Amino acid sequence: MTDPFALSMLLIVLLSITGLSVGLAMMCGSFLYLILKGYDPSIASEQLLQGLYNGYTLLAIPLFILAADIMNIGSLADRLLRFCQALVGRFRGGLGHVNVVSSVIFSGMSGSAVADAVGMGKIIIGLMTRDGKYTPSYAAAITAAAATIGPIIPPSIPMVLYALVADQSVGFLFAAGLAPGLLMALVMGLMNYVIARKRNFPTDEAVPLSELPRATLQAVAALMLPVILLGGIYSGIVTPTEAAAVAAAYALIISILLYRSVSFRAFWSTLCAGARSAGSIGILIAGSITFNYVITREDVPAKLAGWLTSLDLSQTGFLIVINILILLLGCVLEGGAILLIVVPILVPAVQAMGIDLVHFGVIAVVNAMLGLITPPYGLLLFITASITNQPMRAIVRDIWPFILALLAALGIITFVPDFVLFLPRLIGYQG
């Protein structure tokens, strides 16, 4: 007789290939497993309700999405971009540097790679391709690569998802992502400089240093958002979920009262778009909760942990294997699916190898974000291709140098745990 678990996995793969969302595919596979095993199918509903009832942290996800969408319809993104242009536009490959720096700043507000690419990405791609300064494919490539910083520097929606499945502190995970995110920005900036010199890309028109205070003043309200957000979390005034609500409220207040750049029609459209995005993520989470019950019943995490332990790998060898595994899965799976389906299976093996779970969380999220810019799935590649109307092969050709730079950063993140855990330990982490 065919194994029910194997049949459920086969159904999930087939439904996903045909275009059904991964979340719904996991639900269908879970129901098939329960029926074939003779269990009451209502167990799936029970597991789902219990998972959501205990998932207060999950409320942060739609709130961070809303905050990012409000910043996109207001003039916050434009002001931040002008500030970045004044700061680094004068260097060789200036608008490429502006692209990376703006992603660093915007990531401190949105927590989403897609929000970064769609929001700031549209604006900066337009600036880069104007007057033929940069090829559209290069503008698309560096925009997609820079957007991967968004979920690494806090706040981060993928970090919230990892905290859910690994039972770790969101605050410590946020702190752990700051240094790796800045490292990713640094290696991309260096790669942009090298490519700009090789391909003779221009510098942007230099903004006089005397104008920098003015540009900073115009953007200061937007620049204060990450300070308020992270200051509130690490001071203990608010939880990460409450901080997400504060971020959304702050973005709305300064957009309406200070910048006067949001109409009621635009705000309503933002609420609808945010609801659709949150619903899409919610279906994925719901599917993962029900499927995790199946995985638990089959004792898959313990079996995998036993198998990996039997290979007698060192920590270094184990981390190399895990990195390769997640990177390969990122080529065909969406990042959220990796964090909600694959990572929970790996966590027991990670613990058995004595690897810190906060450190591993950063490794897993960085790997998942790299999957967003690797073909054939590469969600960020599709987004920037639609913005620039460029063929995928041209964007892939230009993004490979940035993928290699990010892999170098991933090596440091993976094999120098103190680099990742330094900031969390400063705020009380005992790992």
Side-chain angles (χ1 to χ4, degrees), residues 48-131:
L48 177 58
L49 290 173
Q50 286 181 354
L52 294 179
Y53 180 77
N54 296 319
Y56 170 71
T57 304
L58 293 176
L59 284 174
I61 294 174
L63 292 170
F64 279 134
I65 291 172
L66 178 61
D69 287 345
I70 291 173
M71 285 184 282
N72 285 334
I73 62 169
S75 61
L76 278 79
D78 293 328
R79 293 170 186 269
L80 286 173
L81 198 56
R82 285 197 292 270
F83 168 74
C84 296
Q85 210 166 349
L87 196 64
V88 296
R90 66 189 70 248
F91 303 114
R92 171 69 66 179
L95 284 176
H97 296 306
V98 171
N99 200 325
V100 174
V101 173
S102 63
S103 290
V104 170
I105 297 175
F106 196 71
S107 68
M109 307 173 193
S110 70
S112 166
V114 173
D116 194 349
V118 173
M120 297 291 282
K122 286 182 180 178
I123 304 171
I124 190 65
I125 285 175
L127 287 174
M128 292 183 73
T129 55
R130 187 182 301 164
D131 301 325

Side-chain angles (χ1 to χ4, degrees), residues 11-33:
L11 180 63
I12 291 171
V13 171
L14 290 176
L15 290 176
S16 299
I17 291 174
T18 57
L20 190 67
S21 76
V22 175
L24 290 175
M26 284 191 291
M27 289 183 194
C28 294
S30 301
F31 277 112
L32 177 64
Y33 174 85

Side-chain angles (χ1 to χ4, degrees), residues 159 162-163 166-177 180 350-351 355-365 413 417 420-425 429-431:
M159 293 288 191
Y162 177 81
D167 193 25
Q168 296 298 300
S169 162
V170 174
F172 289 143
L173 285 165
F174 279 5
V350 171
Q351 289 178 303
I355 297 168
D356 184 87
L357 285 181
V358 169
H359 177 216
F360 176 69
V362 176
I363 294 172
V365 172
I413 293 165
V420 176
L421 298 175
F422 173 71
L423 285 177
R425 286 167 178 161
Y429 181 60
Q430 300 299 315

